[in-house]
């Protein structure tokens, strides 16, 4: 029989029971800690004459209605004075302290801490101090109140009783989850070669509280091989949540479809598919304001009922279901989905919800995430994605634009003038070269940004009527506020792995915090959790990823051999055509002729990948002049909608009697995480080696790694490029019965470095020099395959 034991944080309990009102982005929560001024530490250190304990972890178990409910939290401060103990809760604010009133939710948290501390220490009376600190003046306002243990107990028991329906749900869900896990089977009769090896390694890693880096070939079914053992791992009660992290919508969909297989077979596990605010918001203009959006107005008054209804109706919290219930209860679907994460066992989401310093799920990762498992899909993307997360740009023109719009408000104008003068100073340092780089942290700029943020916080929290009456202008100001706040937040991580890049392009000038190496930041997060599994088909070279994901060397690395017959795939390299930027105009005709010859042997569907849209469009215009009328040429465009992507993919049908050629870009939506199984794709042509465009920032990455004693060009250019190439190749062979050819076009593939990188993934590579050889090799391949 399941023990009715529930773990509950003070914050979750209090906010669930007591929250009310609307979502309003014109009000910036004064709970935000403006970086650079640690209010908590300042207040805590001011009690020099007392034995002041700070950041005290408290935990206490309460028995109620046959449930053992363990509540836990962290009190800001505890001290003994005048024969009584004090619990202090500290909140920072930008508001005028004269207008500050005691916040019910803040006090409720403190009363919970006071009760736990009193019970643990057998106290009959205790005092609570609610301390509000103005972050600009550092003045404080305190609300002091004394409580008996009976008063606190009645208050806490009342909270828990109001939460009891959720407690009963959690208990029932835990019982159903554990009882169905033992019966869940692998949903397919046949386990592919390599799939069992990967699944076993995942299970062992989670069991041993470890870290696994796995290079596993495309098509073996990595998604299900990762999720199945993770599901089984819930049975030992040490795992609370599994985060399945993906960089793209396509891989998120694969994870969803995999979980549906398990749920349809009787598994009772709550699965959340987290969709970004931009995609799930039902409003055309994304304006989180109670006066504009009916879903924001009164959201917190209704959202608890919406949650309780949904979690009692289904185990799959996907976008479609969330949208239905959000509409039914008129609540914000994005905020609704974030709350559903509290009741989810498996959360499928983008990397940024774990690794991004501004977006990560604080409700989980600000506390102790030691019972979470991370499954990081397509992990070859994580170094680049995480570098972007810890980099940010501020533009001079954005500052001037807001200044011009708000020049009638002297406080705002004054702050932006100060920031602009600092921008002008850094612009002069470019000395006509177009850029300036420094490893020094820009304290002058940061101080000016702090001041601007505090000013805007103060103005907005006073509910300034002049600002609120013009939504469009207000949103421009808010955007600059959040951009500035992000810049400040990222500056907190600034160290030897960062630089400041000032860049002048035509009439535009920007200052950017550039993260050149995010490995330390990534490793820190991976080390916090119970275990992490990072997997991809292209973790090459292995030494780079071992160091990036495990600076301490505490990860196991495995490489799983492809189970597919090499004879089902023909890999050709045409190494006598240059695709370098300076040669492209001269080799367009050769590229076009190579493509036409390769696709002319057999009717079917083909993909041609290019290193950039510019190059793709260059070749496309020439190709359309030469290609047969019965060949359908389609091409990827920038910023395609989901519907346009679906339309593009719909052209790739099995048993095609015509020829379709899709032109796409390496590293784009159609080069990773897409399954072209069967006859949906019979040939891939890749133009170039995928090297990213040479620019200042890439060169800074190169120099950074050169100083670390490795080949910086490889880290900045070669490896990211070849990973895109191999990922694109992986779209071709997805099952044991798939057949097709790959044609790589570039002189550089003849170099030893590129040969070795290819040979680390493929056994048989055929180098060709002429169009005739291409034709003969492909014709012979199809003749032999039959």
């Amino acid at each position: 029989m399941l023990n009715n034991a529930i773990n509950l944080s003070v914050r979750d309990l209090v906010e669930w029971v007591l929250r009310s009102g609307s979502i309003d982005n014109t009000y910036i929560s004064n709970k935000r800690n403006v970086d650079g001024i640690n209010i908590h530490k300042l207040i805590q250190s001011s009690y020099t004459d007392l034995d002041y304990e700070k950041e005290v972890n408290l935990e206490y178990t309460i028995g109620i209605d046959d449930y053992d409910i363990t509540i836990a939290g962290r009190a800001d401060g505890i001290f003994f004075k005048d024969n009584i103990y004090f619990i202090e809760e500290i909140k920072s604010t930008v508001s005028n302290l004269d207008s500050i009133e005691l916040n019910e939710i803040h006090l409720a948290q403190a009363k919970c801490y006071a009760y736990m501390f009193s019970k643990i220490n057998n106290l009959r009376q205790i005092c609570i101090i609610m301390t509000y600190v103005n972050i600009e003046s550092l003045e404080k306002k305190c609300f002091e109140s004394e409580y008996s243990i009976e008063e606190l107990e009645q208050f806490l028991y009342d909270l828990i009783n109001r939460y009891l329906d959720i407690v009963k749900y959690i208990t029932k869900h835990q019982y159903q989850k554990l009882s169905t896990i033992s019966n869940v089977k692998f949903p397919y009769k046949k386990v592919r070669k390599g799939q069992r090896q990967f699944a076993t390694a995942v299970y062992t890693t989670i069991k041993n509280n470890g870290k696994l880096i796995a290079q596993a070939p495309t098509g073996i079914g990595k998604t299900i091989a990762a999720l199945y053992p993770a599901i089984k791992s819930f049975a030992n009660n040490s795992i609370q949540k599994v985060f399945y992290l993906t960089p793209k919508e396509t891989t998120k969909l694969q994870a969803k479809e995999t979980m549906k297989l398990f749920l349809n077979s009787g598994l009772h596990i709550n699965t959340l598919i987290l969709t970004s605010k931009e995609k799930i918001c039902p409003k055309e203009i994304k304006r989180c304001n109670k006066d504009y959006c009916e879903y924001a107005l009164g959201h917190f008054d209704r959202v608890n009922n919406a949650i309780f209804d949904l979690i009692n109706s289904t185990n799959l919290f996907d976008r479609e279901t969330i949208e239905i219930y959000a509409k039914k209860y008129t609540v914000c679907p994005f905020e609704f989905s974030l709350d559903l994460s509290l009741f989810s066992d498996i959360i499928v989401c983008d990397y940024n919800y774990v690794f991004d310093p501004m977006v990560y799920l604080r409700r989980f990762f600000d506390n102790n995430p030691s019972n979470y498992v991370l499954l990081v899909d397509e992990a070859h993307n994580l170094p680049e994605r995480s570098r972007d997360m810890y980099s940010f740009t501020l533009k001079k023109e954005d500052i001037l634009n807001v200044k011009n719009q708000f020049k009638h408000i002297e406080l705002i104008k004054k702050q932006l003038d100060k920031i602009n003068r600092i921008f002008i100073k850094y612009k002069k340092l470019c000395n006509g070269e177009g850029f300036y780089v420094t490893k020094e942290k820009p304290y002058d700029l940061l101080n000016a940004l702090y001041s601007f943020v505090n000013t805007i916080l103060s103005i907005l929290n006073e509910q300034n009527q002049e600002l609120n009456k013009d939504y469009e202008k207000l949103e421009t100001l808010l955007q600059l506020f959040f951009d500035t706040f992000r810049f400040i937040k990222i500056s907190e991580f600034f160290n030897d792995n960062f630089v400041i890049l000032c860049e002048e392009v035509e009439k535009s000038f920007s200052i950017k915090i550039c993260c050149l190496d995010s490995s330390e930041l990534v490793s820190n997060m991976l080390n916090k959790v119970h275990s992490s599994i990072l997997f991809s088909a292209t973790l090459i070279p292995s030494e780079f990823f071992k160091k990036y994901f495990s600076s301490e060397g505490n990860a196991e690395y495995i490489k799983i051999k492809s189970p597919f017959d090499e004879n089902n795939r023909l890999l050709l390299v045409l190494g006598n055509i240059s695709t370098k930027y300076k040669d492209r105009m001269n080799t367009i005709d050769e590229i076009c002729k190579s493509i036409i010859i390769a696709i002319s042997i057999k009717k079917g569907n083909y993909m041609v990948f290019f290193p950039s849209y510019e190059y793709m469009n260059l070749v496309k215009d020439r190709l359309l002049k030469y290609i047969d009328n019965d060949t359908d040429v389609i091409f990827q465009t920038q910023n395609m909608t989901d519907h346009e992507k679906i339309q593009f993919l719909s052209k790739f049908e099995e048993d095609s009697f015509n020829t379709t050629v899709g032109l796409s870009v390496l590293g784009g939506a159609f080069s990773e995480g897409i399954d072209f199984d069967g006859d949906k794709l019979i040939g891939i042509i890749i133009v170039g080696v995928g090297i990213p465009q040479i620019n200042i920032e890439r060169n800074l990455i190169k120099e950074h790694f050169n100083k670390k004693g490795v080949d910086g060009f490889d880290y900045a250019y070669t490896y990211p490029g070849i990973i895109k190439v191999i990922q694109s190749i992986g779209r071709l062979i997805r099952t044991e019965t798939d057949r097709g050819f790959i044609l790589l076009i570039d002189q550089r593939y003849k170099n030893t470095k590129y040969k070795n990188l290819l040979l680390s993934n493929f056994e048989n590579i055929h180098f060709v020099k002429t169009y005739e050889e291409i034709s003969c090799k492909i014709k012979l391949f199809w003749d032999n395959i039959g």
Side-chain angles (χ1 to χ4, degrees):
M1 186 67 181
L2 183 71
N3 178 29
N4 288 344
I6 299 293
N7 295 315
L8 186 61
S9 77
V10 168
R11 178 181 172 181
D12 289 344
L13 171 64
V14 168
E15 291 191 353
W16 174 272
V17 174
L18 299 179
R19 62 183 175 174
S20 62
S22 304
I23 300 170
D24 190 352
N25 72 349
T26 64
Y27 175 78
I28 309 298
S29 171
N30 58 21
K31 290 192 294 182
R32 283 189 182 273
N33 177 24
V34 178
D35 304 273
I37 305 175
N38 195 322
I39 297 298
H40 284 64
K41 288 183 179 180
L42 181 69
I43 298 302
Q44 290 162 348
S45 63
S46 68
Y47 294 97
T48 55
D49 58 334
L50 297 172
D51 185 13
Y52 189 97
E53 285 188 82
K54 56 187 178 182
E55 307 299 333
V56 181
N57 290 312
L58 296 168
E59 183 175 292
Y60 191 75
T61 301
I62 295 173
I64 185 169
D65 280 13
D66 297 325
Y67 295 97
D68 288 332
I69 302 173
T70 300
I71 55 174
R74 185 168 59 206
D76 290 334
I78 300 176
F79 61 92
F80 187 74
K81 180 183 177 183
D82 298 332
N83 295 318
I84 193 168
Y85 276 97
F86 287 77
I87 295 280
E88 182 171 38
E89 187 72 4
I90 304 167
K91 301 296 179 184
S92 58
T93 180
V94 294
S95 297
N96 188 314
L97 290 180
D98 292 336
S99 66
I100 287 290
E101 296 180 357
L102 189 58
N103 182 287
E104 180 186 11
I105 292 179
H106 297 165
L107 179 60
Q109 287 180 251
K111 289 168 80 170
C112 291
Y113 301 144
Y115 175 77
M116 289 189 283
F117 185 77
S118 298
K119 291 295 289 185
I120 293 168
N121 294 281
N122 296 314
L123 304 179
R124 303 304 305 169
Q125 296 285 131
I126 195 167
C127 198
I128 291 175
I129 296 182
M130 286 300 310
T131 300
Y132 292 89
V133 187
N134 184 285
I135 60 177
E136 292 181 316
S137 67
L138 300 185
E139 295 177 348
K140 64 180 183 179
K141 182 176 183 178
C142 298
F143 297 89
E144 186 175 319
S145 49
E146 190 174 331
Y147 296 91
S148 68
I149 187 65
E150 291 80 12
E151 289 176 300
L152 294 173
E153 185 167 82
Q154 182 177 347
F155 174 78
L156 183 56
Y157 273 70
D158 179 60
L159 281 181
I160 292 175
N161 276 312
R162 292 164 69 182
Y163 193 79
L164 209 53
D165 283 343
I166 293 297
V167 170
K168 292 175 181 178
Y169 168 83
I170 293 171
T171 306
K172 179 183 176 183
H173 172 70
Q174 285 289 100
Y175 176 76
Q176 292 175 321
K177 178 174 72 175
L178 294 177
S179 61
T180 56
I181 282 173
S182 59
N183 297 323
V184 69
K185 305 294 183 185
F186 194 77
Y188 299 114
K189 292 181 179 179
K190 184 179 179 182
V191 181
R192 290 177 178 174
K193 290 180 182 179
Q195 201 173 42
R196 186 184 302 277
Q197 179 187 354
F198 180 46
T200 301
V202 171
Y203 185 81
T204 303
T205 300
I206 297 174
K207 181 180 178 182
N208 296 335
N209 193 21
K211 186 188 296 183
L212 176 68
I213 302 170
Q215 181 172 323
T218 56
I220 69 164
K222 293 189 289 294
T223 301
I224 200 165
L227 281 168
Y228 180 65
I231 289 167
K232 286 291 187 181
S233 297
F234 278 107
N236 62 22
N237 283 323
S238 63
I239 303 304
Q240 185 181 6
K241 290 187 187 294
V242 172
F243 291 83
Y244 191 98
L245 307 176
T246 75
K248 289 185 168 70
E249 286 295 318
T250 48
T251 44
K252 190 188 294 183
L253 180 61
Q254 288 175 359
K256 171 187 168 180
E257 293 303 315
T258 299
M259 284 309 303
K260 283 173 70 174
L261 290 174
F262 290 118
L263 296 176
N264 291 339
S265 67
L267 178 65
H268 192 94
I269 273 187
N270 287 347
T271 302
L272 170 65
I273 314 298
L274 201 51
T275 305
S276 68
K277 180 189 291 187
E278 289 70 24
K279 290 190 175 182
I280 203 170
C281 177
K283 307 291 284 187
E284 185 175 349
I285 299 174
K286 316 306 179 188
R287 185 180 289 158
C288 302
N289 182 280
K290 61 182 180 180
D291 296 324
Y292 165 77
C293 178
E294 66 273 25
Y295 298 92
L297 179 64
H299 165 89
F300 295 112
D301 298 327
R302 300 181 295 272
V303 69
N304 287 1
N305 291 333
I307 292 169
F308 199 68
D309 190 358
L310 188 150
I311 62 179
N312 279 286
S313 302
T314 181
N315 294 120
L316 180 61
F317 313 153
D318 60 358
R319 176 177 176 175
E320 293 75 18
T321 304
I322 290 169
E323 287 176 334
I324 289 170
Y325 280 82
K327 186 174 183 180
K328 177 180 177 181
Y329 286 90
T330 321
V331 294
C332 169
F334 180 68
E335 293 294 333
F336 180 33
S337 65
L338 292 181
D339 281 341
L340 287 169
S341 67
L342 295 169
F343 304 94
S344 302
D345 307 296
I346 294 177
I347 299 174
V348 181
C349 60
D350 189 270
Y351 291 166
N352 58 6
Y353 291 104
V354 172
F355 294 104
D356 192 301
M358 293 293 286
V359 182
Y360 75 97
L361 297 168
R362 286 170 176 77
R363 63 188 72 195
F364 302 121
F365 294 99
D366 267 354
N367 299 314
N368 182 13
S370 59
N371 51 6
Y372 301 153
V373 172
L374 304 183
L375 304 177
V376 186
D377 196 359
E378 304 288 3
H380 62 275
N381 287 290
L382 188 53
E384 298 256 345
R385 279 289 304 275
S386 57
R387 275 202 299 262
D388 288 342
M389 292 173 194
Y390 286 89
S391 301
F392 196 72
T393 302
L394 285 178
K395 296 181 178 179
K396 188 173 187 290
E397 55 261 41
D398 292 340
I399 292 161
L400 293 178
N401 179 40
V402 174
K403 175 194 162 185
N404 290 333
Q405 290 193 44
F406 292 92
K407 56 188 176 184
H408 58 290
I409 301 179
E410 186 60 31
L411 277 174
I412 296 176
K413 178 180 178 296
K414 180 180 177 181
Q415 295 295 336
L416 293 176
D417 274 336
K418 184 178 179 181
I419 295 171
N420 186 48
R421 285 195 295 271
I422 295 171
F423 265 71
I424 292 171
K425 185 190 83 170
Y426 280 97
K427 185 177 181 180
K428 289 178 180 178
L429 293 174
C430 293
N431 287 325
E433 294 184 15
F435 69 95
Y436 168 74
V437 178
T438 177
K439 294 187 72 67
E440 298 296 321
K441 194 171 181 178
Y443 288 104
D444 55 347
L445 176 61
L446 290 171
N447 288 335
L449 297 178
Y450 284 132
S451 184
F452 169 71
V453 165
N454 291 342
T455 298
I456 301 306
L457 278 169
S458 180
I459 291 173
L460 292 176
N461 283 339
E462 294 298 329
Q463 294 293 299
N464 187 290
Q465 294 301 313
E466 185 177 359
L467 285 178
N468 291 342
K469 66 184 180 182
D470 191 332
Y471 282 129
E472 290 188 9
K473 286 175 66 174
L474 177 58
E475 285 177 349
T476 305
L477 177 64
L478 285 173
Q479 186 60 57
L480 182 60
F481 169 86
F482 287 119
D483 287 349
T484 303
F485 194 85
R486 185 178 183 95
F487 193 94
I488 294 170
K489 180 66 178 175
I490 290 173
S491 74
E492 192 177 71
F493 302 93
F494 196 90
N495 59 19
D496 290 342
N497 294 319
F498 289 76
V499 296
I500 299 297
L501 171 61
C502 305
E503 195 167 8
E504 189 176 8
V505 180
E506 296 179 352
K507 294 183 179 181
S508 175
F509 178 73
S510 63
I511 298 178
K512 181 175 184 177
I513 294 182
C514 290
C515 179
L516 307 178
D517 179 1
S518 59
S519 58
E520 181 182 322
L521 299 163
V522 170
S523 289
N524 287 344
M525 178 55 75
L526 296 176
N527 291 336
K528 284 182 180 181
V529 298
H530 178 279
S531 51
S532 51
I533 291 88
L534 304 106
F535 53 100
S536 169
T538 49
L539 295 178
I540 57 169
S542 60
E543 290 305 315
F544 167 71
F545 287 101
K546 286 178 188 177
K547 290 178 181 177
Y548 217 97
F549 298 147
S550 180
S551 55
E552 307 83 0
N554 61 343
E556 180 186 358
Y557 177 88
I558 61 170
K559 182 179 179 181
I560 297 171
K561 192 177 184 299
S562 174
F564 304 128
D565 188 347
E566 281 280 329
N567 293 321
N568 291 344
R569 173 177 55 207
L570 173 67
L571 178 54
L572 301 176
V573 176
L574 179 60
N576 58 352
I577 297 177
S578 173
T579 70
K580 292 181 178 179
Y581 189 82
K582 64 183 178 64
D583 298 321
R584 287 178 182 176
M585 292 303 297
N586 298 325
T587 58
I588 292 178
D589 286 335
E590 295 174 73
I591 297 291
C592 291
K593 190 169 183 179
S594 302
I595 294 170
I596 291 169
I597 287 173
I599 67 174
S600 64
I601 310 300
K602 181 180 173 68
K603 289 187 180 296
N605 301 323
Y606 300 89
M607 286 287 287
V608 185
F609 292 101
F610 297 86
S612 68
Y613 284 101
E614 181 185 13
Y615 197 4
M616 181 191 76
N617 290 326
L618 200 64
V619 174
K620 178 199 71 177
D621 293 340
R622 191 73 59 89
L623 185 67
L624 290 173
K625 295 179 180 179
Y626 298 147
I627 209 154
D628 293 338
N629 291 331
D630 59 350
T631 299
D632 188 15
V633 178
I634 59 176
F635 51 92
Q636 182 181 359
T637 58
Q638 289 179 290
N639 304 316
M640 292 179 82
T641 65
D642 288 343
H643 178 67
E644 288 170 334
K645 291 174 185 176
I646 291 170
Q647 283 186 314
F648 183 95
L649 293 173
S650 69
K651 301 291 185 180
F652 293 83
E653 300 294 337
E654 288 192 87
D655 301 321
S656 176
F657 297 104
N658 297 308
T659 294
T660 297
V661 181
L663 308 184
S664 185
V665 291
L666 292 164
F670 306 116
S671 66
E672 297 184 24
I674 299 289
D675 286 345
F676 292 103
D677 53 305
D679 291 332
K680 289 181 180 177
L681 192 66
I682 64 171
I684 285 176
I685 301 164
I686 297 176
V687 180
V689 292
I691 282 181
Q693 185 177 3
I694 293 175
N695 57 34
I696 297 169
E697 195 168 338
R698 286 275 169 189
N699 285 338
L700 289 171
I701 295 171
K702 179 187 72 173
E703 292 169 11
H704 175 80
F705 282 102
N706 279 338
K707 291 175 182 176
K708 288 193 170 188
V710 294
D711 190 326
F713 187 86
D714 285 347
Y715 278 56
Y717 293 102
T718 307
Y719 299 153
I722 201 66
I723 284 171
K724 291 177 185 177
V725 169
I726 295 174
Q727 276 291 318
S728 298
I729 291 174
R731 299 315 98 211
L732 184 65
I733 304 296
R734 310 296 298 179
T735 71
E736 292 88 343
T737 58
D738 289 353
R739 308 285 189 271
F741 73 84
I742 302 107
L743 173 63
L744 306 180
I745 303 174
D746 196 287
Q747 286 179 340
R748 286 166 286 191
Y749 286 117
K750 294 190 298 183
N751 296 343
T752 302
K753 181 185 295 182
Y754 280 99
K755 279 184 182 179
N756 290 338
L757 287 170
L758 289 175
L759 286 169
S760 68
N761 270 61
F762 309 106
E763 293 179 3
N764 300 317
I765 303 175
H766 303 272
F767 286 84
V768 293
K769 296 180 180 179
T770 66
Y771 304 130
E772 289 75 17
E773 283 185 272
I774 295 173
S775 181
C776 290
K777 291 279 187 183
I778 295 176
K779 187 176 186 305
L780 183 62
F781 170 76
W782 288 125
D783 288 344
N784 290 337
I785 288 294

